[in-house]
Amino acid sequence: MATGIQLLASFVYMGICLYAPSLALSSVTSLPIWASVLLMGLICSFYITIGGVKAVVYADVVQTLLMFVGVLVVSVICCQQLGGPANVWTIAGQGGRLEFFNMDPSPFVRHTFWSTQIQGAYVALSMAGFNQPQFQRFISVRTLSLSQALCSLFALGLLLLWGTFYFSGLVAYAVYSDCDPFTSGRISKPDQIMPYLVTDKLNHLPGMSGLFVAAVYGGVLSSLSSHGNAIACVIWVDFLKDLPYFSNFSERRSTNIVKFLSTMTVMAAICIGLLVGELGTIFQVTNGLLNAIKGPLGGIFLVGICAPWVNKKGAAVGASLAFLFNIWLAIGKLARGGGNPEKMPLSTLGCPENVNHTLQDSLNDRVGTHGLRHLVLLQWDHWYYKYLHPQHLPLHPHRSSSTA
């Protein structure tokens, strides 16, 4: 049962991983989202099949570094343009985007100090404690002490990575604090804010759009390849390896089957990725659907650690009921759209169209409708005789005196 829940969560996560960078690419190019999902899935499937686990390990290292550097460079450049981190922090605070110590004990308040600490502890435990790709990384080293050191290093790297991502969100808000792209219709989804920031504010820097897209793709391909390989290994070890037909397979044939299973998992993830965009924002899908699936899995592991007297039947019944209840809540929320947090205020007063509209209203108030019409006619008269008349006739004396 735990294996089934793990596989389901991994498939959904891989679909989200395929969809996320497709939004970034569609924001800076004319490539449709479905084509990007399909292309990236095929590329990932190719190098997993050809290179195997070795290719996945090397790709993880390079792609994670590329992801971190790309987002960091974009954040630093935009932060400098805004006058430094202090100004970014001030703008975010004025907009009500900073809230650290809301000590309200009510469980009905969405974000408080207590709820974020509890959820953060659970997320960290699920990523490092009962996550199949992480488990494969930890057991690939030679000694237990080295594995424990890698676990600590992983936690530190995760804090740095998440800190960079959260700060990039504050930078994006500070840049568009008076002209929100989503509210003004410049982007169709809130998930496109960072790619739009790169193309809108950093297009004067050669290669910056490519660096950002490469960073997004690198991070997602890293997760996609590691989860694809992990799912294939789980299916082989837990379901196929001990069957009579596969029990006598050589190591070479077993490796080929794992590669084939990796390819099939990526193909399934492509189908899921094409559906994720219809469910809402990436953050909403990730926190809603994935937590609903992985919650019972975490419960199984915690029961096994903290309550060893619970037998197999009790754990299975509890996990089944928790899974059905969570899925019922998640599907109902996605279908009906209820329970979404209240959106914080966003401004469009600084958008060019609003500024032009304000200037036009001011001009109407100062000149008046009749005076404005007279000015427009005089301007058109001047342009016509200066640029459009076939013989480029000079202005008549009486016109010159009137315009003067």
Side-chain angles (χ1 to χ4, degrees):
M1 180 178 180
T3 302
I5 295 176
Q6 177 70 54
L7 292 177
L8 180 59
S10 297
F11 276 120
V12 174
Y13 181 75
M14 289 176 66
I16 296 173
C17 286
L18 280 172
Y19 175 73
S22 301
L23 276 177
L25 194 62
S26 66
S27 300
V28 299
T29 68
S30 58
L31 188 66
I33 292 179
W34 67 266
S36 177
V37 169
L38 182 61
L39 179 62
M40 185 170 55
L42 293 176
I43 291 174
C44 183
S45 175
F46 174 76
Y47 78 75
I48 288 178
T49 303
I50 299 300
V53 178
K54 187 176 182 179
V56 171
V57 172
Y58 279 105
D60 275 353
V61 175
V62 176
Q63 291 164 350
T64 302
L65 291 176
L66 182 62
M67 173 181 59
F68 180 77
V69 171
V71 177
L72 183 63
V73 168
V74 172
S75 300
V76 169
I77 294 176
C78 291
C79 190
Q80 289 178 344
Q81 294 178 354
L82 291 168
N87 287 343
V88 173
W89 200 260
T90 300
I91 295 173
Q94 293 173 350
R97 264 58 183 181
L98 301 177
E99 186 179 13
F100 289 102
F101 298 105
N102 182 358
M103 310 304 289
D104 191 342
S106 173
F108 300 103
V109 179
R110 185 177 182 89
H111 291 140
T112 65
F113 176 83
W114 310 110
S115 63
T116 53
Q117 292 301 309
I118 294 173
Q119 184 183 16
Y122 165 75
V123 171
L125 181 61
S126 66
M127 294 186 67
F130 39 88
N131 184 276
Q132 181 65 26
Q134 295 299 335
F135 175 74
Q136 290 186 191
R137 294 186 181 105
F138 292 151
I139 65 172
S140 63
V141 297
R142 297 178 180 177
T143 61
L144 177 61
S145 58
L146 183 56
S147 179
Q148 293 171 341
L150 288 176
C151 187
S152 302
L153 186 62
F154 167 76
L156 178 61
L158 202 61
L159 288 175
L160 293 176
L161 195 62
W162 281 359
T164 303
F165 290 161
Y166 292 151
F167 184 73
S168 68
L170 294 180
V171 170
Y173 172 76
V175 170
Y176 295 113
S177 59
D178 59 350
C179 183
D180 178 60
F182 180 68
T183 306
S184 60
R186 287 171 170 79
I187 57 177
S188 59
K189 281 180 172 288
D191 301 319
Q192 295 175 318
I193 181 67
M194 285 303 294
Y196 178 79
L197 169 66
V198 175
T199 57
D200 181 41
K201 301 298 183 181
L202 304 180
N203 56 0
H204 62 284
L205 299 175
M208 184 55 64
S209 298
L211 174 63
F212 179 76
V213 172
V216 175
Y217 265 81
V220 173
L221 284 174
S222 172
S223 299
L224 189 65
S225 60
S226 59
H227 274 79
N229 184 264
I231 290 176
C233 292
V234 167
I235 294 175
W236 170 250
V237 172
D238 289 357
F239 295 106
L240 301 180
K241 183 179 180 181
D242 295 331
L243 294 178
Y245 179 77
F246 299 103
S247 59
N248 296 325
F249 274 27
S250 63
E251 183 176 352
R252 181 184 181 88
R253 295 186 67 183
S254 301
T255 302
N256 291 335
I257 291 178
V258 171
K259 290 181 178 180
F260 174 77
L261 291 174
S262 300
T263 303
M264 291 298 100
T265 57
V266 175
M267 294 297 105
I270 291 175
C271 299
I272 298 175
L274 295 174
L275 299 175
V276 166
E278 306 299 326
L279 300 179
T281 64
I282 296 174
F283 185 82
Q284 176 185 352
V285 175
T286 302
N287 284 272
L289 193 56
L290 276 183
N291 288 344
I293 297 173
K294 298 188 71 173
L297 179 65
I300 293 175
F301 278 88
L302 290 177
V303 165
I305 296 172
C306 302
W309 58 84
V310 176
N311 58 27
K312 181 172 60 176
K313 292 182 179 180
V317 171
S320 300
L321 294 177
F323 178 77
L324 293 176
F325 181 74
N326 286 354
I327 293 297
W328 173 60
L329 289 178
I331 294 177
K333 181 171 182 274
L334 293 174
R336 302 188 60 181
N340 292 325
E342 183 180 353
K343 293 183 179 180
M344 304 190 73
L346 298 168
S347 175
T348 58
L349 296 177
C351 296
E353 59 269 19
N354 290 332
V355 173
N356 293 338
H357 182 70
T358 303
L359 291 176
Q360 185 71 27
D361 291 342
S362 177
L363 185 60
N364 287 337
D365 293 339
R366 290 176 179 270
V367 179
T369 305
H370 178 73
L372 181 61
R373 186 185 298 113
H374 183 64
L375 287 175
V376 171
L377 290 175
L378 287 177
Q379 187 67 27
W380 166 250
D381 190 50
H382 172 73
W383 284 347
Y384 174 77
Y385 279 97
K386 186 174 182 181
Y387 300 109
L388 302 179
H389 195 278
Q391 299 179 359
H392 298 283
L393 295 177
L395 294 173
H396 297 295
H398 70 277
R399 292 186 185 276
S400 300
S401 62
S402 64
T403 57

